[in-house]
Amino acid sequence: MDSARQKLLSTLAHKSFRLGEFKLSSGGTSDYYIDCRITTLDAKGSRLTGEVFFEEIRQRGWKPRAIGGLTMGADPIVVAVSVVSGELDGFLVRKAEKQHGTGQRIEGFREKGARVVIVDDVCTTGASTVQAIEAAREFGFEVVAVMCLVEREEANGRPNVEKAAGTVPFISIFTATDVRKEHVLQNDDTQPGIFAVSSVCEVCGRPAATNNQRNRCEAHRT
């Protein structure tokens, strides 16, 4: 895994992934939760997100004119990729047409017939991604690919998105399994401690005995 991609995975595992009991927007429950916006709105996380998405787009040769997705999960991804690339414009899809002004649903880039990539942060049922695909095509964009930052691999998310996407590819940067494994690795206190001068105990602030994400001094290791 290249450096930017590994750093992004590490950031997601540390900042965005939580174990516990959670109710999802889909109505289901889960023993973990991923809030990608904590990463995509983080200064370093945003840059990494832009780099990884743009590199994936570049390598696959899709050559879009712009990227966009449903507000608000896609918002920071769209901005990050646009800024990092210096060449891809961005657009945002409202959940419903605004009731004033021009009443438009697509904000930002609005060139009919343009090649675009649809992006999203987390794909569970795929509902928000599907909405973005449908709105983009209704406006007149040519959707050439669909991407998400983390695919949860449940609730028929991939089949739903692929059905809406048709013949265009649906790519996930990471799966929830990838992020979970990295999170567990970061918080595995059975791993040998590696002392880092810059690390401090998260409980008392004294020098820590490890540079794992759960930094503890010897007094607070248990």
Side-chain angles (χ1 to χ4, degrees):
M1 188 178 293
D2 63 73
S3 179
R5 196 179 183 93
Q6 178 58 50
K7 288 178 181 178
L8 180 56
L9 176 60
S10 179
T11 303
L12 282 166
H14 177 45
K15 291 181 175 289
S16 296
F17 188 93
R18 294 291 180 271
L19 290 171
E21 295 183 8
F22 302 95
K23 184 174 182 178
L24 305 177
S25 60
S26 62
T29 58
S30 177
D31 67 345
Y32 71 93
Y33 184 68
I34 302 177
D35 185 352
C36 285
R37 282 165 292 191
I38 297 177
T39 292
T40 58
L41 289 170
D42 175 80
K44 293 181 180 178
S46 176
R47 175 177 53 79
L48 291 168
T49 298
E51 290 176 357
V52 172
F53 268 79
F54 180 57
E55 180 61 17
E56 189 77 22
I57 291 170
R58 189 190 66 80
Q59 287 188 357
R60 291 181 179 273
W62 293 327
K63 298 181 179 180
R65 179 71 178 80
I67 62 163
L70 192 74
T71 192
M72 63 171 33
D75 296 7
I77 298 175
V78 170
V79 174
V81 177
S82 182
V83 170
V84 167
S85 71
E87 61 185 65
L88 297 181
D89 291 324
F91 65 91
L92 303 177
V93 180
R94 290 178 175 270
K95 295 180 180 179
E97 292 180 354
K98 60 182 180 180
Q99 303 303 307
H100 59 279
T102 58
Q104 62 196 29
R105 191 177 181 191
I106 303 291
E107 300 286 356
F109 179 79
R110 290 171 56 84
E111 182 181 307
K112 290 185 182 294
R115 295 168 59 87
V116 303
V117 171
I118 299 298
V119 297
D120 210 340
D121 58 356
V122 177
C123 176
T124 304
T125 65
S128 61
T129 312
V130 170
Q131 286 186 57
I133 294 170
E134 293 174 344
R137 285 176 171 160
E138 182 179 348
F139 173 77
F141 287 141
E142 179 189 353
V143 177
V144 297
V146 181
M147 304 175 70
C148 74
L149 180 53
V150 178
E151 179 187 349
R152 287 186 63 108
E153 303 172 288
E154 59 189 47
N156 290 318
R158 175 166 285 276
N160 291 338
V161 173
E162 290 181 334
K163 181 179 179 180
T167 59
V168 305
F170 170 44
I171 304 299
S172 58
I173 302 298
F174 303 112
T175 65
T177 300
D178 296 330
V179 183
R180 187 184 192 117
K181 286 181 179 178
E182 178 67 17
H183 177 82
V184 171
L185 180 63
Q186 290 178 359
N187 292 277
D188 185 1
D189 287 341
T190 66
Q191 296 296 317
I194 305 173
F195 183 76
V197 175
S198 61
S199 296
V200 295
C201 176
E202 61 190 32
V203 177
C204 66
R206 289 183 292 185
T210 176
N211 65 0
N212 288 337
Q213 295 297 343
R214 290 181 62 188
N215 293 329
R216 301 289 180 90
C217 67
E218 290 298 334
H220 292 105
R221 289 284 290 169
T222 59

